Amino acid sequence: MATHWTNSSETFALLLRRQGLDPDAVDDVTRAWSAFQEFVQTDIDGIEPAEDDGDGFSVQCGRWAWHDNRPALAFTRQFAVRDESDRDDGFGQTQLWSVELVLFFSDAPAGADLDATAWSTGMGFDFDPIGPQRAAALIRTAAVIATLPHVSAVWAAIPVGSSLRLERAD
């Protein structure tokens, strides 16, 4: 049974816990990635279809001002939701929402020259539908990560903290 989009961060938190991780203190990137892969393959009710760019995911690595310029790795699922108050008229505006797990690191791990990466590296958003196409997109994303030494270095490091939240993305 699918979960409603307003409960999607709780669903991701449950998947993290199944991996033995505390959503507020993730300390293993590989297990977090496993939970994220399962999360982006989970049906979410109330969102627009992936083929309409209504459900996608991305991975980003860098330093962002809104995270105190700490080295970070972010796993994000973004989806479009029609404004529920306007559903009856057929012209409801869509809103972008995201469930984002950000892993923080105490300092840039060896080999992760994040200052030389032009602010951040994003693997882009992928909007392949849930199922085999999304599984293939996750494999492609992991392959791109493996070619980026600075992202691979962060991936191999131990996070010192994390943040999981559902927030409006637009």
Side-chain angles (χ1 to χ4, degrees):
M1 186 165 150
T3 188
H4 192 266
W5 72 268
T6 57
N7 299 320
S8 54
S9 62
E10 288 90 357
T11 299
F12 192 8
L14 175 66
L15 296 171
L16 288 164
R17 286 186 191 98
R18 284 187 194 162
Q19 290 287 331
L21 300 169
D22 177 344
D24 296 321
V26 170
D27 60 0
D28 186 300
V29 176
T30 301
R31 287 187 289 148
W33 174 246
S34 292
F36 182 69
Q37 289 180 90
E38 188 174 351
F39 175 61
V40 299
Q41 289 279 33
T42 301
D43 286 323
I44 304 289
D45 283 337
I47 63 175
E48 298 300 306
E51 56 269 12
D52 295 334
D53 291 349
D55 181 16
F57 73 90
S58 75
V59 176
Q60 295 180 318
C61 182
R63 293 179 188 266
W64 299 287
W66 53 90
H67 293 302
D68 297 327
N69 287 313
R70 293 182 288 176
L73 179 64
F75 298 143
T76 305
R77 182 171 182 180
Q78 181 177 293
F79 39 83
V81 177
R82 247 197 227 278
D83 184 345
E84 307 232 345
S85 63
D86 293 338
R87 274 197 191 271
D88 294 337
D89 69 9
F91 297 104
Q93 298 294 313
T94 57
Q95 300 173 351
L96 294 179
W97 286 81
S98 65
V99 175
E100 182 177 66
L101 174 66
V102 181
L103 308 176
F104 300 105
F105 301 86
S106 61
D107 199 4
D113 187 2
L114 297 178
D115 296 326
T117 63
W119 182 66
S120 70
T121 299
M123 304 323 123
F125 272 95
D126 188 284
F127 292 98
D128 282 314
I130 289 175
Q133 290 175 310
R134 184 154 293 176
L138 288 161
I139 290 168
R140 286 191 306 272
T141 298
V144 168
I145 289 166
T147 68
L148 301 170
H150 62 285
V151 180
S152 295
V154 170
W155 200 279
I158 298 172
V160 296
S162 60
S163 169
L164 174 64
R165 63 180 176 238
L166 168 69
E167 64 184 4
R168 187 136 176 211
D170 57 0

